[in-house]
Amino acid sequence: MGHPMEPFMREAMALAEKGRWHAAPNPTVGAVLVHQGAVVARGWHTACGQPHAEVECLRDAARNNVDPAECTLVVTLEPCNHHGKTPPCTQAILEAGIRNVVVGFCDPNPKAAGGADFLRGHGVHVETGILEQECRDQITDFLTWVATPLPYTILKLASTLDGKIATRSGNSRWISGPESRARVHELRRRVGAVIVGGTTFRKDDPQLTCRLDETDGALQQPLAVVITSQLPNVPESFKLLRERPEQTVFWTTDDAAQSRAAEVLRERGCTVMALPSTADTTHGARDIAHGLAWLRSHHGCLYTLCEGGGKLALTMLELGLAQEFQLHMAPKIMADSKAPGLFDGRNPATMEEVLGLRMTATEKSGDDVIITLRRREELCSQD
């Protein structure tokens, strides 16, 4: 049997998702107050600079004439214990008279951590680690920003049931259904850059834009990033270079970055930069992490979306540069051994050598299924 507070933690997690994208660079956090087995107040971190989930929950309690001192606070992330853009949530909890707090995941940010111990030191009973892995997964973006200079990268691929991403002739329109494609455009609306490999750029001639109707003002399109050692010699052949060269970035080799093709691309407004070489020749001898860090430091990209192809996708997973993998699987069977598959480039001798992922969510999208996966990692005990 699970912990009795798990259902309430799951509701807090659902509330936290309401703040997805808007809370960045803060974590998405949800909180509920529980009294006699029922949720009586709710709150979530709505946006960066706005009150945290615990404070919003206390405000909801006041609107509902609920006495927090009679309730248990259930929150997905350890209450903060520092003065930032908002006062510490630990102080608000004490002032509300709350004596029992249940925490999902303890805050890894040294600036904000210590809330659980602070509350315990003031007589509050605090229990941590309820749905710990799930709560940790929910703030993997925040963990990435705190621990690395990188943006949070979502890898998205679409495949048939037998793992094919295109016909043998290269046709991939459309594997997934309209609902799944709309979801991809929503992702493009949220991220700062969309990344593809050179083969995808040359074969698909993608626009890499969000094509959703906007009702609240002009749409800020993401940067288009192409990773390739073969720069195009005829820019007019590609939609990106005809329609939005100023928003197009090429990551390439040292030689290609100094070529005449690079000069032509720069004259059109593109950015062409050489990625530093790396000793790990397994991954094309290019330091993709350097480029990702550049997107964050120079363009403020907190989120990026990688749309393949298969070789780039495998590299991103192997190097741990894609923190989230969304596989859009369509109920179609190609049954062609020569059609390209999701991934290629490994030759494991045993199952112990395969790249392991763990599934964290599944969701129906029209006729498709969207499977969310992450790399296997050890969850350090925070208690």
Side-chain angles (χ1 to χ4, degrees), residues 221-240:
Q221 293 289 358
L223 294 174
V225 179
V226 181
I227 307 178
T228 180
S229 60
Q230 303 174 34
L231 297 178
N233 291 313
V234 186
E236 292 78 10
S237 301
F238 299 94
K239 294 173 184 174
L240 278 177

Side-chain angles (χ1 to χ4, degrees), residues 16 22 27 34 47 55 57 79 96 99 143 150 161 169 247-248 263 292 312 365 380:
H22 308 291
V34 179
V55 173
C57 190
R99 310 309 297 169
L143 300 179
L150 305 177
L161 286 177
S169 64
Q247 295 176 311
T248 301
E263 292 180 12
L292 292 170
L312 174 59
S365 176
C380 298

Side-chain angles (χ1 to χ4, degrees), residues 248-288:
T248 301
V249 178
F250 287 91
W251 291 345
T252 189
T253 64
D254 294 306
D255 289 342
Q258 299 175 39
S259 66
R260 175 56 186 159
E263 292 180 12
V264 171
L265 290 172
R266 292 187 182 106
E267 289 169 0
R268 295 184 74 93
C270 299
T271 298
V272 181
M273 60 180 287
L275 293 184
S277 60
T278 175
D280 187 359
T281 56
T282 304
H283 301 99
R286 295 291 114 189
D287 187 356
I288 298 175

